[in-house]
Amino acid sequence: MSDQPHTARIVLLPGDGIGPEVTQAAVQALDAVARRCGRQFHFEERLMGGCAIDRHGTPITDETLQACLAADAVLLGAVGGPQWDDPLAPVRPEGGLLRLRKALGVFANLRPVRLHPSLLDASPLRPERLEGVDLLVVRELTGGLYFGEPKTHEVRDGRRYAVDTMAYFDYEVRRVVELAFRLALGRRKKLASVDKANVLESSRLWRQVALETARDFPQVALEHVLVDTAAMRLVTRPSAFDVIVTENTFGDILTDEAAVLCGSMGLLPSASLGDGGPGLYEPVHGSAPDIAGQGIANPLGAILSAALLLRYSLRLEEEAWLVEQAVWGALASGARTRDLGGTLSTHEMTRAVLERL
Ligand code: NAD
Ligand code: IPM
Ligand code: MN
């Protein structure tokens, strides 16, 4: 998109649980920054997840998928919840999200983890371990264990039997590792490629491709870290990480762990990008059924996801920066939702951000 875009078209998929609560906050932040900077955004809201199963019998309809493909960007809240969790259910809310990611071709999921200094005490980790935490996890998003074939659940020789497959083509590894190298170039020039190459064939391919790709990025220091060690180092020496690139499932697990570093799941944003085409933006957290409907969810992960949408899909760096500064300012002033040990509602926390826009 150019610097003077047409009215940007954003599809909203609020989803389930706290999804609608935090998406509304993100839309308010987008509206506020649009007013301030004279931009125009057009929002189109659609059902995805459990709510779409209840209405249409499928977590994402073809029409919604087409609308997402035709948009400039897609902003998602969260999907899922206990009412759709029956392991025997023929369709699942999460299936809609996976189908959407695959259809958009968003193979790289960027999950920045930056610790606000005033939140040092919000994490269960000792403050001295947390100083300087500023890392970016690049999670492969359209391959690996989530999508590999075969994927079955059947009866074999009279026993129930299930299979998932961790599979990668070299090009699937290369494109995400390459992006991670490029992102590292703009940061502290350190890349940790996380795998399980001591056991898994797919990880040995991953490691070879990472080594091949490294030849094009001599300025970046590449290290290979086994995923179990990476999990440990995330809590023992988190500030030593700059950019991490890893397989889909490994990235899913490591980023929930990394969320603990900055005090709450509710703070982490994400951007899912492919080769052109609309990006998908969603907080890292889920639908939080335990607090849904109470108006107490932390909206900052969703608001920061909207900032990433401004940056990566709309190329509005100034606007993205303004939103991030507003979040940062709200935190610096002591504004806290309950997950961060405060008392503010979703609405009040959102207002603390909007006041700074
Ligand atoms: P979760 O992330 O929803 O919740 C984990 C814990 O973090 C809960 O205690 C919750 O209250 C808290 N939490 C999460 N977000 C918060 C916020 N914004 N503010 C305050 N507290 C917050 O994970 P879960 O409970 O394991 O999963 C619930 C459902 O969400 C499942 O159905 C899962 O599949 C789904 N899920 C969806 C997405 C997504 O749509 N992108 C991501 C993760 C999980
Ligand atoms: C996430 C979520 C999703 C994932 C689920 C809801 C499919 O946990 O975005 O981290 O596993 O990718
Ligand atoms: Mn997850």
Side-chain angles (χ1 to χ4, degrees), residues 16-340:
D16 309 313
I18 63 167
E21 303 168 36
V22 299
T23 304
Q24 192 194 7
V27 169
Q28 287 178 300
L30 287 171
D31 276 336
V33 83
R35 266 197 307 279
R36 167 146 172 197
C37 302
R39 305 285 177 190
Q40 283 196 315
F41 305 140
H42 175 263
F43 298 106
E44 178 184 343
E45 189 171 321
R46 292 188 163 258
L47 296 178
M48 212 263 288
C51 55
I53 293 179
D54 291 349
R55 177 77 65 87
H56 302 295
T58 173
I60 187 164
T61 62
D62 292 343
E63 292 76 45
T64 297
L65 204 56
Q66 287 311 320
C68 292
L69 284 163
D72 291 309
V74 181
L75 183 63
L76 173 89
V79 299
Q83 61 270 56
W84 304 285
D85 261 355
D86 180 352
L88 295 174
V91 286
R92 314 180 61 81
E94 293 81 358
L97 181 52
L98 299 184
R99 187 170 169 220
L100 176 64
R101 289 171 177 171
K102 195 74 172 175
L104 291 173
V106 287
F107 58 79
N109 180 218
L110 279 47
R111 298 186 160 187
V113 181
R114 208 148 49 109
L115 178 71
H116 191 278
S118 75
L119 289 180
L120 274 173
D121 58 347
S123 167
L125 260 70
R126 289 206 296 273
E128 63 268 27
R129 299 209 172 202
L130 290 169
E131 245 153 79
V133 166
D134 177 7
L135 58 97
L136 171 66
V137 179
V138 181
R139 169 189 177 194
E140 201 289 324
L141 201 62
T142 52
L145 198 51
Y146 277 56
F147 292 95
E149 296 287 345
K151 190 184 251 318
T152 62
H153 191 150
E154 61 198 67
V155 176
R156 214 184 250 198
D157 304 327
R159 317 289 308 189
R160 286 174 299 162
Y161 175 74
V163 186
D164 294 286
T165 303
M166 194 184 282
Y168 276 106
F169 280 103
D170 51 3
Y171 74 90
E172 295 177 290
V173 180
R174 187 167 299 115
R175 63 190 179 185
V176 71
V177 170
E178 223 167 64
L179 176 63
F181 267 111
R182 285 210 301 276
L183 290 164
L185 271 181
R187 298 174 44 104
R188 303 199 304 278
K189 300 186 175 55
K190 281 167 45 173
L191 178 62
S193 172
V194 171
D195 63 35
K196 187 72 185 171
N198 53 347
V199 176
L200 303 176
E201 276 307 333
S202 55
S203 281
R204 288 191 275 272
L205 172 65
W206 184 284
R207 196 173 278 215
Q208 281 169 19
V209 174
L211 277 167
E212 291 157 16
T213 312
R215 289 185 211 130
D216 297 331
F217 298 90
Q219 314 91 318
V220 176
L222 169 70
E223 69 168 334
H224 307 280
V225 186
L226 295 172
V227 63
D228 42 359
T229 305
M232 183 197 63
R233 275 175 44 187
L234 267 178
V235 286
T236 52
R237 285 192 292 133
S239 60
F241 284 118
D242 180 14
V243 180
I244 293 173
V245 62
T246 193
E247 189 269 342
N248 203 341
T249 312
F250 298 162
D252 179 44
I253 297 168
L254 292 178
T255 46
D256 268 33
E257 188 191 3
V260 172
L261 302 172
C262 46
S264 167
M265 276 302 290
L267 284 170
L268 249 57
S270 88
S272 303
L273 309 174
D275 278 328
L280 171 65
Y281 300 85
E282 43 177 314
V284 169
H285 65 74
S287 57
D290 52 337
I291 59 163
Q294 298 178 33
I296 58 169
N298 187 339
L300 297 186
I303 293 175
L304 290 168
S305 299
L308 296 179
L309 182 158
L310 292 166
R311 173 169 299 129
Y312 291 117
S313 279
L314 307 189
R315 305 270 172 223
L316 297 175
E317 176 56 37
E318 159 98 14
E319 285 80 348
W321 187 85
L322 283 169
V323 172
E324 288 169 348
Q325 286 308 301
V327 167
W328 229 234
L331 286 171
S333 77
R336 301 275 184 279
T337 39
R338 291 187 200 194
D339 51 311
L340 294 171

